[in-house]
Amino acid sequence: MIRSVRRALQWVLAASTACLFVVAAQQPAAGQMVRPPDLGVWFKQERSPDGATALAVTDLLPDGILVQAGLREGDRIVSANGKPLDRDQQFVQAFLTNATVTFVIARGAQQLSLTLKSSAVMDAVVPLDPYYQTGFLVDEYDSERTTVQRVFPATLAFYAGLKPGDVITSLNDRQLAAPTELTKALRRGGRLNLTAIRNGQPRHFTLMIPTPSLRLRSSSTAGPLSPGGGPPLSTPSYGLPSAPLLAPPSIPNPTPAIPSPPPALPVLPPPGAVPGGT
């Protein structure tokens, strides 16, 4: 009995590991959040006469994999693996969660079927430069040293203290044999302890880089990409309650009062008369 349970658990573990491997193999190497333009396609939401919402292809990269597979401008994406699509990020999510994706496409009065391998589509995504995502650039023409050429403001490298001219000599207390070692470490992410020489003196820096599994986000949180950590930036929310709009204060408008007439002037005695006399 115990042996049977153990075998069952081993089978479940093996199956789970295989599924994770399939999904991980489809993710871009740089770990950036993938959006439809990264795959070479632009969409707009379009409502059909029956009230259903579909994605209409507005533009395509001429040499992209989707064009090679047969997608055309003006096509309407009806469904992916039998599930209707009404948001562009669902198009990307289909490739991240399935080994193959079959789309139903409306082209004029016809309906076509298009099947794509997710691995081929994801391999066509151009990975982001790990240095740019971290917030600095190095001298690409120097194969012996890793010299910082530029640091972008408000990025991980900027906040860590790197400056142009720094020569990075070690990574996690190990001397860098070649600049490519730092490139691989930036792609892996995690905590990186760097030592750089500035004005002849060693300086120590720490970079906390999100790992690819954390940088890859589902499309529902899509935002603009920017240097400094891989994921798109979003406006922070501080949990402040949204106050209702207040109506402007009402200004009383009473009926204007009519001024009373001035008091009558006293009658003066004729000239020469003695006041109080008879």
Side-chain angles (χ1 to χ4, degrees):
M1 179 66 180
I2 296 177
R3 183 176 300 177
S4 300
V5 173
R6 183 178 301 172
R7 288 181 179 176
L9 292 175
Q10 290 176 349
W11 182 87
V12 172
L13 179 61
S16 301
T17 304
C19 293
L20 290 174
F21 174 77
V22 170
V23 174
Q26 299 168 14
Q27 296 181 357
Q32 79 265 28
M33 184 185 69
V34 181
R35 292 184 284 182
D38 296 316
L39 305 181
V41 61
W42 285 259
F43 293 113
K44 71 174 180 179
Q45 286 186 328
E46 197 172 81
R47 190 173 297 276
S48 60
D50 60 358
T53 302
L55 297 177
V57 178
T58 59
D59 200 3
L60 290 160
L61 288 181
D63 56 349
I65 188 172
L66 298 179
V67 170
Q68 298 173 12
L71 195 64
R72 297 291 181 266
E73 185 176 335
D75 288 349
R76 295 172 63 248
I77 310 297
V78 179
S79 64
N81 289 346
K83 297 180 180 180
L85 298 184
D86 57 5
R87 290 184 294 122
D88 57 357
Q89 203 61 29
Q90 292 176 339
F91 181 85
V92 176
Q93 195 67 22
F95 294 112
L96 297 176
T97 55
N98 300 278
T100 59
V101 183
T102 299
F103 294 101
V104 174
I105 299 172
R107 182 176 297 170
Q110 297 180 339
Q111 278 201 346
L112 308 175
S113 178
L114 180 64
T115 301
L116 295 167
K117 289 185 178 180
S118 298
S119 57
V121 174
M122 287 303 167
D123 287 344
V125 177
V126 178
L128 298 178
D129 183 87
Y131 290 97
Y132 180 77
Q133 288 300 103
T134 309
F136 71 106
L137 300 178
V138 297
D139 186 357
E140 299 179 354
Y141 299 100
D142 192 346
S143 59
E144 297 180 356
R145 302 191 308 173
T146 304
T147 304
V148 178
Q149 281 192 329
R150 184 178 178 183
V151 178
F152 297 98
T155 62
L156 296 178
F158 176 82
Y159 291 123
L162 284 174
K163 291 185 177 181
D166 290 348
V167 179
I168 302 175
T169 57
S170 69
L171 168 65
N172 293 335
D173 300 326
R174 296 183 60 182
Q175 186 174 0
L176 282 177
T180 54
E181 292 185 3
L182 181 57
T183 304
K184 295 178 181 178
L186 293 174
R187 290 190 186 277
R188 290 193 302 267
R191 181 187 179 95
L192 303 182
N193 296 316
L194 305 179
T195 300
I197 301 299
R198 180 187 300 171
N199 299 326
Q201 299 295 325
R203 299 285 186 109
H204 303 284
F205 310 95
T206 299
L207 293 174
M208 297 295 296
I209 302 177
T211 58
S213 60
L214 294 177
R215 284 180 291 187
L216 189 64
R217 291 289 183 265
S218 64
S219 46
S220 59
T221 58
L225 291 174
S226 67
L233 298 179
S234 58
T235 304
S237 174
Y238 299 99
L240 296 178
S242 57
L245 295 177
L246 300 178
S250 58
I251 301 176
N253 187 20
T255 304
I258 300 176
S260 56
L265 295 175
V267 179
L268 298 177
V274 179
T278 56

